[in-house]
Amino acid sequence: MKYRQLGKTDLNVSEVGFGAWTVGTSWWGKIEEAQGINLLRQAFDLGINFFDTGDTYGEGYGEEILAKGLKQQRHDIVIGTKFGYDFYTHVVREGHRERPQRWTPGFIRYACEQSLRRLDTDYIDLYQLHNPKLDAIENDEVFDTLDELVKEGKILHYGFAIGPDIGWEEEGTAAMEYREAQEMQIIYSILEQDPARAWFPLAEERQTGLVTRVPHASGMLDGTYTKDTVFDASDHRSHRRQEWLSASLAKITQLDFLMENMDSTIGQIAIKFALSGGMVASVLPNITNLPQLREFAATSETEDIPQEFLERLSELYDENFLVEAEATSLP
C-alpha cells in the first residue's frame, strides 16, 4: 500500500481507503456484523489506514462498527466521519429521501459528541459537512463552531463531503474558494468525470486534499453488472434501469484498449484512474467481500495508467463514449 498526504493537512492516508457505508448500512446487501468487522480488520492488515463513515449511516451504526473492529488500532488509522443530517429528531426515513439538515452550533456540538461516543474515541481526524448546500457553506457560525472544536482537540481537521450525486459544482467551488477547504470528498470515475475535472485546478491552487468515492460507477467498472443482468420486473424503475444498464455497457466496450494493454483488472484500473486526478489522496471503493478487498487494496502496486490512455479516456468522456445520450444516468 502507498500513502499520500491529504492536501495541506498533516494526515497521510492510504491510496485505497475503506468506506464504512458498506458494512454500516444495507444499501449493498446485508453484511453480518462479524463479517463486517472481519473486513475492517483485514483491510487494516492489507495497509488501509483511512476509514470513512458518517453519523447517519445506519443511524450511527456505521461509526459503532468501526469502534468494534478497530479500537485497538485507533492511533494507527485515520477516521473520517460526517455530520449535518438530523436523524435524532427525524427518525423516520422514506427510502433514500434526504433527511432535514441542521447547522446550528448547538446541533454541531451535539452531533460531534455523539460521534465521539459511538466511535469510542476522544478525537476525530476528519470531520466533514455531509452534503452541505450553499447556505451552510456561507454560514460563519458553522465554521466558528468547527474552529472551536479543533482548538478543543475534539476534531483535528474538517472538510466537505459533496453530493449526494453527480453535480453540486457550485457548492464544491464555494467550499474551496470561500472556506479554503482542507479536504473535499467527491464523486469521480471513468464514467463520471464531471464536475470533478472542473475542480482539480482550484484544488491544486488552494491545496485542497481530495477523496473520491464511487470509482466503479455504481458497479459498472467492477464486474457487478453484465449484459445478462436483469432487474426485477417488480421494480417500477426496471425499464429505466435496464436502459441505463444497456447504455453503460455500451460505454464500457470503448474501454477494451485498457484491458488489452494493461495487466491490472478493470476494478484496479478504475481506482488508478480516480487516483490520477489532481490532489486526490485516497479513493473509496465499495467493498463488500474479501476477494474484492484484496483486489482493490492491491491497486497501489499495479502500474499507472499511461498518460496517452488518460487523455483518451478524457476524450471518450467528452464524446459520451460514442453512445447516444439518453438513459445514461442511473435512475
Side-chain angles (χ1 to χ4, degrees):
M1 181 64 67
K2 296 178 183 176
Y3 303 85
R4 298 184 180 187
Q5 183 175 344
L6 182 62
K8 54 195 170 188
T9 76
D10 58 0
L11 301 175
N12 286 298
V13 293
S14 49
E15 288 187 337
V16 179
F18 194 113
W21 45 77
T22 59
V23 296
T25 73
S26 58
W27 299 343
W28 288 270
K30 177 65 176 175
I31 295 179
E32 297 299 327
E33 181 170 276
Q35 181 186 0
I37 289 172
N38 185 50
L39 278 173
L40 292 169
R41 291 175 176 170
Q42 290 287 331
F44 177 79
D45 290 343
L46 289 170
I48 291 176
N49 78 335
F50 179 43
F51 295 85
D52 184 70
T53 189
D55 62 357
T56 192
Y57 298 155
E59 287 70 49
Y61 180 68
E63 293 177 326
E64 292 173 353
I65 194 171
L66 273 183
K68 291 178 179 180
L70 296 169
K71 179 175 174 56
Q72 299 304 315
Q73 290 78 28
R74 174 64 190 99
H75 298 298
D76 297 314
I77 63 175
V78 174
I79 292 178
T81 193
K82 309 177 188 74
F83 70 99
Y85 285 111
D86 181 9
F87 64 95
Y88 299 98
T89 56
H90 298 273
V91 177
V92 178
R93 184 184 188 189
E94 298 179 12
H96 286 270
R97 181 175 295 177
E98 195 171 24
R99 283 194 174 97
Q101 294 180 321
R102 288 181 66 184
W103 304 104
T104 63
F107 182 75
I108 293 171
R109 283 190 165 276
Y110 176 78
C112 183
E113 292 294 345
Q114 295 306 305
S115 288
L116 289 168
R117 176 184 59 80
R118 287 189 293 260
L119 289 165
D120 197 9
T121 184
D122 56 4
Y123 69 96
I124 295 167
D125 300 278
L126 183 61
Y127 203 41
Q128 301 159 100
L129 285 78
H130 200 173
N131 299 334
K133 311 305 185 291
L134 275 177
D135 60 342
I137 296 172
E138 294 172 350
N139 187 341
D140 288 341
E141 281 192 331
V142 171
F143 298 92
D144 289 343
T145 304
L146 291 171
D147 286 334
E148 291 170 2
L149 290 171
V150 170
K151 289 179 182 177
E152 294 165 15
K154 293 181 178 180
I155 64 175
L156 302 186
H157 305 278
Y158 57 83
F160 302 78
I162 298 295
D165 206 340
I166 196 70
W168 306 102
E169 184 171 352
E170 194 174 11
E171 282 80 1
T173 300
M176 288 188 283
E177 286 190 338
Y178 187 50
R179 292 301 174 186
E180 298 186 353
Q182 293 182 315
E183 178 267 356
M184 195 163 74
Q185 185 181 136
I186 61 176
I187 289 173
Y188 186 54
S189 76
I190 292 173
L191 300 185
E192 297 170 297
Q193 297 183 31
D194 286 324
R197 287 196 307 187
W199 285 325
F200 290 150
L202 183 57
E204 187 167 355
E205 176 188 330
R206 299 304 174 96
Q207 288 296 288
T208 298
L210 299 178
V211 173
T212 70
R213 65 184 187 276
V214 203
H216 298 113
S218 302
M220 292 310 309
L221 297 171
D222 65 2
T224 297
Y225 297 124
T226 71
K227 62 181 177 61
D228 297 319
T229 299
V230 176
F231 293 106
D232 193 319
S234 64
D235 186 335
H236 72 281
R237 302 165 299 171
S238 60
H239 177 67
R240 175 67 175 160
R241 288 172 67 88
Q242 209 69 44
E243 289 179 344
W244 163 80
L245 177 62
S246 297
S248 298
L249 288 171
K251 290 182 178 183
I252 292 174
T253 64
Q254 301 298 319
L255 306 181
D256 288 347
F257 72 97
L258 296 170
M259 303 301 294
E260 291 167 358
N261 292 281
M262 299 182 66
D263 292 330
S264 312
T265 68
I266 187 61
Q268 292 169 334
I269 292 171
I271 294 172
K272 276 289 188 179
F273 175 83
L275 284 167
S276 72
M279 295 302 295
V280 173
S282 186
V283 177
L284 301 168
N286 292 337
I287 298 170
T288 59
N289 56 62
L290 282 173
Q292 224 175 30
L293 170 61
R294 295 186 184 108
E295 176 189 348
F296 297 162
T299 300
S300 272
E301 304 306 320
T302 63
E303 61 183 310
D304 291 337
I305 302 174
Q307 183 60 35
E308 62 266 30
F309 290 179
L310 292 173
E311 292 172 1
R312 179 58 181 150
L313 290 171
S314 179
E315 293 169 358
L316 282 168
Y317 180 81
D318 292 337
E319 299 165 355
N320 199 41
F321 296 87
L322 311 179
V323 176
E324 292 298 323
E326 62 222 33
T328 57
S329 61
L330 180 63

